[in-house]
Amino acid sequence: MSSEDLEKYETEMELQLYKEYRDVVGLFTHVVETERRFYLANSVDVKVRTDGGEVFFDVTMADAWVWDIYRPARFVKNVRVVTFKDVNVEELPKPDIKLPESGDFS
């Protein structure tokens, strides 16, 4: 496979991944960005740890989706990431859907 074909393949895979992300983002409550991956998750716990003077992050996530074009199954039950790099965790906004108080949906 030529480098041009590989680049075209990776571009198509990234587009498919973006479309999948767009379809599933509403199922999750958090976005987590690490040095190597981007995750959507419904449960996130970040612990700051030290070892011999070095500070690192121990991130655990549950009910997650992983942005990775080379991974055949992107939905994962549990994820653990240990990193010396920054970790960004953001809570996704909830849609402003208001249900009728009377229970009448008509």
Side-chain angles (χ1 to χ4, degrees):
M1 182 180 279
S2 72
S3 62
E4 185 177 302
D5 289 339
L6 181 60
E7 186 176 317
K8 183 178 178 184
Y9 170 78
E10 287 182 345
T11 300
E12 289 173 10
M13 292 301 293
E14 284 285 339
L15 181 57
Q16 287 178 351
L17 191 59
Y18 168 75
K19 288 177 181 177
E20 183 179 328
Y21 163 82
R22 187 187 60 203
D23 291 342
V24 302
V25 68
L27 302 173
F28 297 94
T29 58
H30 294 85
V31 174
V32 180
E33 184 179 4
T34 67
E35 68 178 294
R36 297 184 49 138
R37 297 280 189 275
F38 179 85
Y39 303 87
L40 298 172
N42 283 319
S43 174
V44 179
D45 183 40
V46 179
K47 290 186 170 71
V48 179
R49 306 221 187 253
T50 59
D51 182 28
E54 295 284 338
V55 176
F56 62 95
F57 300 98
D58 189 348
V59 184
T60 54
M61 294 169 267
D63 187 23
W65 181 89
V66 184
W67 180 289
D68 185 345
I69 64 173
Y70 299 106
R71 188 181 178 94
R74 287 183 271 282
F75 286 96
V76 290
K77 185 173 177 91
N78 296 296
V79 178
R80 181 174 181 216
V81 177
V82 177
T83 181
F84 289 95
K85 304 288 185 174
D86 289 342
V87 175
N88 182 38
V89 178
E90 296 179 33
E91 187 172 356
L92 291 169
K94 300 284 183 250
D96 293 332
I97 298 175
K98 296 192 185 219
L99 297 175
E101 290 181 25
S102 66
D104 182 15
F105 295 101
S106 54

